[in-house]
Amino acid sequence: MHPLRLALLVRNSEPGKFGTVLAEWFAREVERRDDFKLDLIDLSRTPTADLPARIDEADAIVIVSPEYNHGYPGDLKTAIDSVRRPWYAKPVAFIVYGGRSGGLRAAEQLRQVFGELHAVTIRETLSFHQPTDPFTPDGTPQDPTTPAAAATLLTQLAWWSRPLREARTTTPYPA
């Protein structure tokens, strides 16, 4: 069976930003597995016109997002809305960060949006509270349970990805 194509969607991959450290660490976790092939999509560098095709090629999507004002950033909403049909019948997971909620309010709002886009959001979410120093200088999580949580997220994402890929291949989604 060929690997599942996993699109890792980040707002930007500027060196020194927490979202960049987080995305780089998670990309390494994905690359350790045989069941996924990673496609890192940096929204600050990917032309909006290219985004629908890259999401269409993906079997699963993980979105890395901060929480701003109890929600998620406007540029992420614009990117999501620019795609539409390629989101249909795709599993989506979230890695969120920021504030007292650890970004979970952003994840909950994103779940509502993706429900409208006929995507399947998985329950497992990676959440980082007050992200001042949750990673070592070499990009390793300080919390020893974080890699296991990432593995659980990826295992559930793979479980949803396989049957949904099969369904999309054999029967077009009826939306």
Side-chain angles (χ1 to χ4, degrees), residues 133-157:
D133 290 314
F135 285 81
T136 63
D138 71 348
T140 304
Q142 299 266 17
D143 182 343
T145 65
T146 301
T152 299
L153 181 147
L154 286 167
T155 298
Q156 288 185 4
L157 194 60

Side-chain angles (χ1 to χ4, degrees), residues 31-100:
E31 289 171 350
R32 288 187 181 132
R33 298 174 60 112
D34 294 332
D35 50 354
F36 288 108
K37 179 181 177 189
L38 185 66
D39 177 18
L40 178 63
I41 301 174
D42 178 344
L43 292 176
S44 69
R45 295 189 175 119
T46 301
T48 304
D50 293 349
L51 189 57
R54 289 180 72 183
I55 297 299
D56 192 46
E57 292 172 1
D59 295 310
I61 298 95
V62 173
I63 295 177
V64 177
S65 178
E67 180 180 313
Y68 285 134
N69 299 324
H70 291 217
Y72 60 97
D75 58 344
L76 179 56
K77 175 71 166 136
T78 300
I80 291 166
D81 289 347
S82 74
V83 174
R84 191 75 188 157
R85 191 170 262 305
W87 295 117
Y88 291 5
K90 299 277 176 89
V92 180
F94 306 109
I95 301 174
V96 291
Y97 59 95
R100 291 183 179 175

Side-chain angles (χ1 to χ4, degrees), residues 16-36:
K17 297 277 189 178
F18 179 73
T20 303
V21 171
L22 189 52
E24 289 172 349
W25 164 76
F26 189 74
R28 289 191 304 272
E29 294 296 305
V30 172
E31 289 171 350
R32 288 187 181 132
R33 298 174 60 112
D34 294 332
D35 50 354
F36 288 108

Side-chain angles (χ1 to χ4, degrees), residues 2-3 6 23 39 64 81 94 100 104-105 110-112 122 126 154 161 172:
H2 66 284
L6 175 63
D39 177 18
V64 177
D81 289 347
F94 306 109
R100 291 183 179 175
L104 291 174
R105 292 179 286 222
L110 285 163
R111 287 181 198 290
Q112 293 174 352
I122 67 164
L126 295 180
L154 286 167
S161 298

Side-chain angles (χ1 to χ4, degrees), residues 13 25 53 120-121:
S13 57
W25 164 76
V120 177
T121 60

